[in-house]
Amino acid sequence: MQISMIINGQEKAFNVEPDEYLSDTLRSAGYKSIKRGCDKSSCGACTVLLEGKPILSCSYLSFRANGKKVTTLEGEREEAIKLGSLIIKEGGDQCGFCTPSLILTTIALKRENANPTEEDIKHYTNGNLCRCTGYVAQLNGIKKYLGVE
């Protein structure tokens, strides 16, 4: 099945299987920031932005993204460097497997809510699991990025 998506601002065409997940389509196209963690929609490592909203690409069929805008971490380089640096300064990077999805989710939060609270951050990033650091260091980096006291 032929589909097209606008990925990080560029239109791309794909030939996908009806049961192919978006994470597989994007990774095979070279978007390696998308991680395959649990394949059960529970860890958040496969998060991408679809029309600006975080989705779990390991459970989203590729054909559903036909004609839509998809953003991966590769498309948010400048913001990713800013936020990633703050997370590293707080000691929240460790293996980095969860970091791309956490950064994308935080960028979506920033665009959706100009003045988030700490509770807003916790609620919005709830589905992004980290098995290395816990969440305090990451939360501190995110709070600095978003200007939350």
Side-chain angles (χ1 to χ4, degrees):
M1 148 184 326
Q2 191 74 21
I3 66 168
S4 67
M5 298 179 267
I6 299 170
I7 303 174
N8 302 330
Q10 295 185 329
E11 187 166 355
K12 305 269 182 169
F14 298 93
N15 188 17
V16 300
E17 297 297 322
D19 60 349
E20 185 174 322
Y21 289 107
L22 186 57
S23 59
D24 297 325
T25 302
L26 294 172
R27 280 194 61 85
S28 67
Y31 300 98
K32 301 299 184 192
S33 67
I34 301 156
K35 308 296 187 224
R36 293 194 65 158
C38 64
D39 275 339
K40 296 176 183 168
S41 303
S42 62
C43 76
C46 64
T47 300
V48 298
L49 304 183
L50 184 76
E51 302 291 337
K53 302 285 186 191
I55 66 157
L56 301 172
S57 63
C58 77
S59 59
Y60 193 90
L61 293 171
S62 296
F63 78 86
R64 293 180 64 203
N66 187 29
K68 296 184 177 174
K69 293 179 184 174
V70 176
T71 304
T72 68
L73 192 67
E74 289 87 348
E76 296 288 351
R77 183 173 170 75
E78 192 172 307
E79 291 300 306
I81 289 171
K82 282 183 200 173
L83 178 52
S85 297
L86 292 169
I87 290 172
I88 289 169
K89 282 183 183 175
E90 295 295 328
D93 53 326
Q94 296 291 322
C95 82
F97 193 79
C98 65
T99 307
S101 63
L102 186 65
I103 287 174
L104 267 180
T105 303
T106 302
I107 289 169
L109 170 61
K110 182 179 180 182
R111 291 178 180 153
E112 188 174 302
N113 183 346
N115 297 305
T117 64
E118 183 173 324
E119 288 306 311
D120 292 334
I121 296 168
K122 289 178 180 176
H123 177 75
Y124 209 87
T125 60
N126 188 27
N128 294 92
L129 303 181
C130 173
R131 290 178 171 80
C132 296
T133 64
Y135 300 97
V136 174
Q138 294 174 343
L139 178 61
N140 289 339
I142 291 169
K143 286 169 58 179
K144 287 182 178 175
Y145 172 74
L146 296 173
V148 176
E149 304 270 327

